[in-house]
């Protein structure tokens, strides 16, 4: 009478556990593990689902955690591919990168902000705290809230690199993580300026979110311009691996870079390559 | 009492009136605090309901997510969440109960072993969840990978201090006469525990379980590293599965255009916590009644 409940619980759990007693590493030809960038993860997850449906029995596991994590996992061979949302640096030449898509990075301000363009020098002055009021760059008298991305985010590295700023020189009021968070921060603050993925910003602006993309070096910040290769700040979204992929990994890579997934790439507001 | 205050009232009517006014204000202030709290809760629920209800449907509950969760439903995520919480409770409840019983019934109050254990439990309760996530990843990752089991075990570690401390408080509050009575009747310690002490401490145990359930279902940071990100239906406890809280975080922070689905998922999460709490309440009621007979 008393021991029936625990027994029942064990009885229910046992078959679940026994379903795959050897764990994740069994059947290497049927399973792939990927980890890394939170920007790339949703896209790869959708590609993986389609690939699974075309290849019954195959399981593609996608885990997030950031580009740095993807690089480390790929290097140590813990995953088939790491997901990295930027180009590899010279010191990462031990890895191979395969580009799935591109993503442009644009400056956004609140829609009510009358400033229509900023020069590179003005952006530098704003982000280093030399200019603290919109009046100094042709806007209304209103303090500027500088929205910056967190250390280790590849968007942040790319932004600093483009404007030639050392990370220590930036004086941010707000530090954010993902793109959607950046868009929400700027939409909620008429004095804010930030930089986010162009595709997401274009989509949100289209939905009526009160943000506006600023042109960069005279080029409008649109997905179309990124696709044409004219927009100055853009980054590749990569799968990286330590060794040349074989077998299932090679088949998945080929599929993920084929035109068959271009609709999925566009659905995530990225640019197919 | 009456004889003492009456003469003072007749002697100093002005002072009494002031005291009454002060009492009245105090009363008002306390009521206002309580109502503000209720209003905040209802404002939160109402906002959530208004934002999320339009997206909510039976289909949303029973279908798989599509387009990174912008479309489709949350069926696999619900299943993963329930599995995680059940694993956490199944592991933490017996362990927590046993530890609390040891602390209260089998050690000297304030002895070095008990003091040390209490201190480490309090430290453990204050550890940020992200640290549990990293520890869980390092501890369970190598042999369980990203799996519901790894996530559930990590959650169990997280809620253990809550369970133990509240069970301990409940056992402490039991009248010592009951223990003496049980001993006088010649009951074995295990029998006294099962039939007298634990049922008497049940409300406190239940409070601990509810707190633990709340913390477990709300967890994101620790689960990203242990149970993972996969949003497909888990086939076994060794599969990776995304919890509701992780799904909400992902949809609102990382997926543009996922806000509606995030609000609807949040509504489901609140409802789920409500249902789990009610279930815990009923289970504890039935258990107490079976052990002690109707009160």
């Amino acid at each position: 009478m008393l021991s029936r409940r625990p027994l029942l619980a064990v009885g229910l759990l046992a078959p679940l556990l026994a379903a795959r007693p050897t764990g994740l590493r069994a059947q290497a030809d049927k399973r792939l593990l990927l980890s890394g960038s939170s920007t790339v993860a949703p896209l790869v997850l959708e590609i993986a689902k389609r690939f699974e449906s075309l290849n019954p029995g195959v399981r593609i596991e996608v885990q997030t955690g950031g580009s740095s994590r993807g690089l480390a996992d790929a290097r140590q061979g813990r995953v088939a591919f790491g997901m990295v949302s930027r180009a590899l640096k010279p010191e990462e030449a031990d890895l191979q990168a395969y580009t799935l898509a591109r993503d442009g990075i644009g400056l956004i301000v609140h829609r009510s902000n009358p400033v229509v363009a900023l020069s590179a020098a003005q952006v530098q002055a704003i982000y280093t705290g030399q200019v603290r009021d919109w009046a100094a760059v042709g806007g209304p008298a209103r303090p500027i809230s500088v929205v910056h991305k967190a250390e280790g985010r590849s968007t942040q590295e790319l932004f600093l690199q483009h404007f030639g700023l050392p990370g220590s020189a930036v004086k941010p009021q707000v530090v954010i993580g993902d793109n959607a968070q950046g868009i929400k921060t700027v939409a909620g603050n008429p004095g804010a300026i930030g930089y986010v993925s162009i595709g997401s910003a274009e989509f949100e602006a289209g939905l009526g979110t009160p943000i506006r993309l600023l042109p960069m070096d005279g080029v409008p910040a649109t997905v179309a311009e990124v696709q044409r290769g004219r927009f100055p700040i853009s980054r590749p979204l990569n799968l990286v691996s330590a060794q040349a992929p074989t077998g299932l990994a090679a088949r998945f890579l080929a599929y993920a870079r084929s035109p068959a997934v271009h609709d999925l790439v566009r659905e995530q507001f990225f640019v197919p390559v | 009492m009456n004889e003492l205050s009456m003469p003072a009232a007749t002697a100093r009517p002005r002072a009494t009136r002031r005291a009454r006014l002060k009492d009245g204000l105090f009363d008002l202030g306390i009521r206002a605090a309580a109502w503000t709290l209720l209003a905040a809760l209802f404002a939160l629920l109402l906002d959530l309901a208004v934002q999320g209800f339009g997206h909510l449907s039976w289909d949303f509950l029973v279908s798989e997510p599509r387009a990174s969760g912008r479309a489709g439903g949350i069926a696999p995520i619900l299943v993963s969440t329930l599995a995680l919480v059940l694993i956490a409770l199944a592991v933490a409840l017996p362990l927590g109960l046993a530890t609390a019983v040891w602390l209260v019934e089998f050690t000297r109050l304030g002895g070095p072993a008990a003091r040390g254990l209490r201190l480490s439990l309090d430290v453990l309760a204050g550890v940020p969840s992200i640290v549990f996530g990293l520890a869980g990843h390092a501890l369970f990752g190598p042999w369980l990978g990203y799996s519901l089991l790894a996530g559930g075990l990590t959650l169990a570690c997280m809620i253990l201090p809550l369970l133990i401390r509240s069970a301990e408080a409940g056992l402490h509050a039991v009248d010592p006469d009951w223990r003496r009575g049980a001993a006088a009747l010649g009951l074995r310690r295990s029998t006294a525990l099962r039939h007298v002490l634990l049922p008497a401490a049940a409300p406190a145990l239940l409070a601990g379980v509810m707190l633990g359930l709340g913390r477990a279902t709300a967890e994101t940071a620790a689960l990203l590293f242990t149970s993972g990100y996969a949003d497909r239906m888990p086939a076994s406890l060794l599969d990776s599965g995304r919890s509701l809280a992780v799904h909400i975080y992902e949809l609102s922070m990382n997926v543009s255009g996922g806000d509606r689905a995030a609000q609807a998922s949040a509504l489901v999460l609140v409802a789920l916590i409500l249902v789990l709490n009610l279930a815990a309440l009923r289970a504890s009621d039935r258990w107490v009644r079976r052990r002690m007979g109707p009160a």
Side-chain angles (χ1 to χ4, degrees), chain B residues 35 41 51 68 108 127 132 201 207 239 292-294:
Chain B
W35 283 109
L41 175 68
Q51 305 273 351
S68 306
R108 264 186 310 118
V127 168
F132 278 103
D239 268 347
M292 297 183 95

Side-chain angles (χ1 to χ4, degrees), chain A residues 50-136:
Chain A
R50 194 176 280 180
F51 187 76
E52 282 173 358
S53 70
L54 294 173
N55 298 272
V58 167
R59 282 276 212 172
I60 315 276
E61 189 115 332
V62 181
Q63 301 295 345
T64 173
S67 292
S68 318
R69 167 90 170 279
L71 282 168
D73 281 356
R75 211 170 249 153
Q76 287 165 24
R78 281 197 293 253
V79 294
F81 294 106
M83 299 176 284
V84 180
S85 55
R86 58 169 169 76
L88 290 183
K89 296 173 191 170
E91 65 264 30
E92 292 154 358
D94 54 319
L95 297 167
Q96 283 147 306
Y98 310 93
T99 301
L100 300 181
R102 292 195 76 80
D103 179 28
I105 292 158
L107 282 164
I108 52 171
V109 294
H110 195 267
R111 196 171 53 198
S112 67
N113 192 329
V115 173
V116 290
L118 291 170
S119 70
Q122 283 171 326
V123 174
Q124 282 162 349
I126 288 173
Y127 267 84
T128 51
Q130 285 153 3
V131 166
R132 291 172 184 277
D133 200 288
W134 285 107

